[in-house]
Amino acid sequence: MSSNVTPTSKPVKTTGLHVGDAAPGVRKVDPILIADGVKRTFGGLTAVDVDHVEVPRGAITALIGPNGAGKTTFFNLLTGFDKPDAGKWEFDGRSLAHVPAYRVARMGLIRTFQLTKALGLLTVMDNMKLGAKGQTGENLFRSVLPFLWRKQEDEIEAKALEILARFKLDTKKDDYAASLSGGQRKLLEMARALMSDPTLVMLDEPMAGVNPALTQSLLDHILDLKSQGMTVLFVEHDMHMVRHIADWVIVMAEGRIVAEGDPHIVMQDQAVIDAYLGAHHDADLGSTDTEHVEVLKELIDDEQ
Amino acid sequence: MIDWIAIFSNAAQELISPTTAAYALAALGLAIHFGYTGLLNFGQAGFMALGAYGYAISTLSFGFPVWAAVLVGIGASVVFALILGIPTLRLRADYLAIVTIAAAEILRLVFTTNTFDALTGSASGLQGYKGGFADLNPIPAGTYGFSPFTYNAYDWWIRIVGWSLVVLLAVITWLIMRSPWGRVIKGIREDEDAVRALGKNVYSYKMQSLILGGVYGTLAGMIFVLPRAVVPANYQTSLTFFVYAILLLGGAATILGPVIGSMIFWVLLSFFSGFVARAVEAGWLPFMSQVQAGQLRFILVGIAIMLIVIFRPQGIFGNKKELAFVK
Ligand SMILES: Nc1ncnc2c1ncn2[C@@H]1O[C@H](COP(=O)(O)OP(=O)(O)OP(=O)(O)O)[C@@H](O)[C@H]1O
Ligand SMILES: [Mg+2]
């Protein structure tokens, strides 16, 4: 389990991110992403209903919440992969409403997917190269004239090799991505996201299915992104990881933001406990709740 | 007795016939659509019809020179690709399949109906458009070659133009598929959302692919009608399926596959039809009439293709390694 992950060094936490008391929708000193009244319903079900939320720049923010809280849907809305019923949101001061997903990516907001999307029948190296921005050879007419893009291609390849080496995937560069293990694909997807030098990286459950031995190196990679000046927003169920690397935590439940704050403090918030156990947990503690009880126990153990 | 020499030499002639070249071009277009981009275009017959009719009508009704008639055909297929692609390429893959199969049939029926008889010649089609192309022939009149490849100047001219086009488009396809453009296209085949998340305009790339492969189909349609007449009945959905059979036979995401696949397909078809016809004549198949024998060749080709697909599912030039990961 994740409990045998021993941090090699204590990461430097970024503090002083918010203005005023930590509450849902609290203002940030320097927000990179702001969402306002973003709402998405599927038939009768309200999957996302966020009044106001700001993501602090240059920090690692965790988005947590029970299954079905709307985290992935919120990710999809922010990145243009889904359209909200209402609301506006901006990235780096520019509105993202009605901006198609590929343009959002070009603006420097790169995401990964909960269900990994490695391009199976492309080699690991081709997966990486695809991530690079502004490629001359991606134009159909220029593509037939290799001398126009050969030099850029070499630069991209060198950069890809360097990132692959950091993720310990360089020995796999000529293999089909389909031949990688689940955890390696998570790594590849993250490595590929870095090819475009993003300003904000949004990771949907980067640790899911990754073995504990690899978890530590993934954590280091994410911390590394911060030290390179990137902002990270990630969804995660593993509370140890959240506490270990997050500078800020946003808690979602039933589509709403129910709590925000410092990772060590927010876990004790009554709203968070309610979110994980259901608001009526003292009335009826069903067997399906045992998992969540485990999570909370882990949290409380960890705090002591 | 059966004249084996005739059967084999007829079959050998298909190796370099203009029809084989035309099918190779159409299959190369489908390789771009289906093999590389993952677009299910079931309307390749429609693109071919546009080439045939675009060329013939602009020559016969408007007196256009060859180059202009070719451009009209290409222009028509670009417009056709846009009409097919704009509403469907944002939707799931199967929508394109439905729309293309229907649109190609609509085109064929429009060419068949009596309403436009003055332009299209309705069901009997068009002929007499070859003059301009024949005038460009630099080969002096006469008969050339060695048996079984002995043809007159015009027949050689069609073959030279047809196969030059095959070589040219095969080289272009090879160049673009090993470029960054081809990488995006193959990425879209694997997972278009992932490619979108990396900042590529997937819709535009799919449209480019649809147009490009469609233009290949259109050029195929022009080569196809140079040794024969334009007849609307040739552009049925079965034409598209024959082209798909060729593509799968050769290997869907390959360059040589469609070309060699077309050769094998036509050689086999000619061989079986020659063999069956003569076998019936010789009384080897007493339970069969000549008409039934004409159909038998398609059954035999079907069986041959099934065997190849069973024992070499990646196609002749496909990569065996890829197959291990097919979902
Ligand atoms: N395409 C869809 N159609 C209908 N309902 C959907 C759709 N996508 C999500 N939902 C619903 O919206 C709610 C939020 O789902 P979402 O995937 O965002 O949850 P999540 O917080 O990411 O959960 P998990 O932690 O399990 O990944 C769920 O109740 C889900 O059933
Ligand atoms: Mg999710």
Side-chain angles (χ1 to χ4, degrees):
Chain A
M1 264 302 297
S2 43
S3 45
N4 53 23
V5 175
T6 29
T8 41
S9 63
K10 203 133 180 78
V12 187
K13 295 282 183 149
T14 312
T15 51
L17 296 166
H18 61 295
V19 183
D21 287 337
V26 64
R27 278 183 48 222
K28 303 289 161 13
V29 177
D30 182 13
I32 188 167
L33 189 69
I34 306 174
D36 248 318
V38 173
K39 191 169 172 173
R40 175 70 163 112
T41 53
F42 294 108
L45 178 108
T46 305
V48 168
D49 187 3
V50 170
D51 287 334
H52 185 85
V53 73
E54 300 184 1
V55 176
R57 186 191 306 273
I60 299 176
T61 304
L63 180 61
I64 65 168
N67 292 122
K71 304 177 298 290
T72 298
T73 309
F74 191 47
F75 259 41
N76 289 343
L77 294 171
L78 291 177
T79 50
F81 279 86
D82 193 3
K83 289 191 175 54
D85 307 332
K88 52 186 205 282
W89 63 110
E90 57 174 63
F91 167 64
D92 237 352
R94 285 185 289 177
S95 171
L96 286 186
H98 307 296
V99 178
Y102 78 93
R103 276 187 204 272
V104 173
R106 284 186 194 173
M107 287 161 80
L109 197 176
I110 299 279
R111 68 166 301 179
T112 65
F113 294 86
Q114 182 169 2
L115 299 171
T116 326
K117 291 185 185 296
L119 304 166
L121 293 188
L122 264 57
T123 62
V124 168
M125 182 48 96
D126 274 348
N127 265 271
M128 292 296 287
K129 286 176 173 176
L130 199 58
K133 280 203 287 200
Q135 297 189 43
T136 316
E138 286 183 355
N139 174 295
L140 177 56
F141 298 105
R142 287 184 218 133
S143 71
V144 282
L145 305 170
F147 61 88
L148 288 178
W149 46 262
R150 182 66 68 205
K151 187 164 163 284
Q152 188 186 30
E153 182 83 354
D154 292 343
E155 288 163 11
I156 291 170
E157 180 153 349
K159 178 173 174 179
L161 267 180
E162 184 211 320
I163 297 179
L164 280 178
R166 258 199 280 150
F167 282 77
K168 306 245 175 345
L169 284 174
D170 45 344
T171 52
K172 299 261 178 201
K173 71 183 172 69
D174 297 320
D175 295 359
Y176 282 128
S179 73
L180 298 182
S181 74
Q184 288 170 328
R185 284 183 214 191
K186 283 264 169 201
L187 286 173
L188 173 61
E189 206 184 0
M190 207 163 126
R192 190 175 66 193
L194 300 185
M195 284 297 291
S196 66
D197 301 317
T199 34
L200 171 57
V201 188
M202 293 178 40
L203 309 168
D204 199 345
E205 303 202 11
M207 298 297 172
V210 176
N211 89 55
L214 219 57
T215 311
Q216 188 53 49
S217 77
L218 251 178
L219 288 181
D220 291 339
H221 287 312
I222 296 175
L223 287 167
D224 201 33
L225 301 184
K226 181 170 89 167
S227 65
Q228 289 173 34
M230 288 176 225
T231 305
V232 179
L233 176 65
F234 72 101
V235 172
E236 191 49 66
H237 285 293
D238 181 339
M239 294 304 162
H240 297 281
M241 166 178 175
V242 170
R243 218 186 343 265
H244 181 50
I245 66 168
D247 303 310
W248 190 258
V249 175
I250 299 174
V251 188
M252 258 183 114
E254 292 171 3
R256 306 181 148 273
I257 309 285
V258 293
E260 271 194 58
D262 177 275
H264 294 276
I265 298 162
V266 79
M267 308 291 189
Q268 288 149 7
D269 194 312
Q270 186 60 38
V272 178
I273 297 170
D274 286 349
Y276 274 91
L277 294 182
H280 312 291
H281 61 275
D282 26 31
D284 171 28
L285 232 165
S287 56
T288 48
D289 279 339
T290 44
E291 243 180 76
H292 290 143
V293 176
E294 285 297 315
V295 170
L296 281 192
K297 270 202 206 133
E298 260 180 47
L299 291 179
I300 292 159
D301 288 352
D302 239 55
E303 287 309 317
Q304 283 152 4
Chain B
M1 236 354 267
I2 286 195
D3 184 355
W4 287 105
I5 305 284
I7 294 177
F8 280 115
S9 72
N10 282 342
Q13 289 196 23
E14 294 296 336
L15 273 178
I16 59 160
S17 85
T19 310
T20 305
Y23 275 64
L25 286 175
L28 208 48
L30 270 193
I32 295 178
H33 288 156
F34 176 70
Y36 288 105
T37 323
L39 296 177
L40 278 173
N41 168 23
F42 281 118
Q44 195 68 335
F47 285 102
M48 293 174 77
L50 282 175
Y53 277 95
Y55 183 84
I57 292 176
S58 35
T59 309
L60 293 171
S61 300
F62 303 103
F64 281 11
V66 171
W67 63 267
V70 170
L71 285 185
V72 167
I74 291 176
S77 74
V78 171
V79 172
F80 188 55
L82 288 171
I83 292 172
L84 294 177
I86 287 172
T88 56
L89 289 183
R90 285 188 207 280
L91 306 174
R92 252 186 12 227
D94 27 356
Y95 287 87
L96 181 71
I98 298 164
V99 169
T100 47
I101 204 168
E105 274 298 278
I106 291 171
L107 265 188
R108 183 176 67 84
L109 295 172
V110 167
F111 287 133
T112 313
T113 175
N114 284 327
T115 319
F116 309 109
D117 187 55
L119 277 180
T120 62
S122 61
S124 46
L126 296 168
Q127 50 192 330
Y129 47 80
K130 294 171 196 163
F133 178 73
D135 289 344
L136 293 177
N137 187 0
I139 308 170
T143 306
Y144 304 88
F146 53 91
S147 177
F149 305 104
T150 323
Y151 305 106
N152 66 25
Y154 180 76
D155 285 344
W156 274 118
W157 180 226
I158 308 176
R159 282 166 177 74
I160 290 167
V161 172
W163 286 102
S164 304
L165 207 55
V166 172
V167 171
L168 178 73
L169 293 190
V171 169
I172 289 179
T173 314
W174 178 74
L175 278 174
I176 59 177
M177 288 309 167
R178 62 197 281 278
S179 78
W181 187 87
R183 191 159 61 217
V184 178
I185 285 291
K186 287 179 246 175
I188 291 172
R189 178 190 65 198
E190 297 301 309
D191 190 322
E192 59 176 80
D193 274 342
V195 177
R196 210 171 263 131
L198 296 172
K200 320 292 177 196
N201 187 349
V202 168
Y203 181 63
S204 161
Y205 279 99
K206 280 160 80 174
M207 188 63 87
Q208 291 170 33
S209 163
L210 186 64
I211 291 176
L212 188 68
V215 167
Y216 282 28
T218 300
L219 294 171
M222 294 180 195
I223 300 296
F224 183 68
V225 296
L226 284 176
R228 52 173 68 75
V230 177
V231 182
N234 282 339
Y235 304 96
Q236 299 185 12
T237 308
S238 55
L239 172 58
T240 302
F241 289 124
F242 284 137
V243 180
Y244 261 105
I246 287 171
L247 179 67
L248 298 179
L249 183 64
T254 63
I255 308 289
L256 281 180
V259 180
I260 308 296
S262 180
M263 290 176 167
I264 294 175
F265 178 85
W266 281 104
V267 167
L268 281 183
L269 198 63
S270 165
F271 175 79
F272 284 131
S273 75
F275 172 74
V276 173
R278 285 178 172 79
V280 169
E281 245 173 48
W284 286 13
L285 307 166
F287 50 89
M288 214 174 249
S289 71
Q290 282 289 0
V291 179
Q292 287 170 324
Q295 295 305 311
L296 185 62
R297 62 183 182 146
F298 287 109
I299 298 174
L300 291 177
V301 171
I303 292 172
I305 289 176
M306 273 166 61
L307 290 177
I308 295 181
V309 171
I310 289 167
F311 291 108
R312 209 176 155 79
Q314 74 274 32
I316 295 166
F317 289 92
N319 184 345
K320 182 93 197 177
K321 232 170 56 185
E322 288 185 3
L323 220 62
F325 304 115
V326 172
K327 294 137 259 184

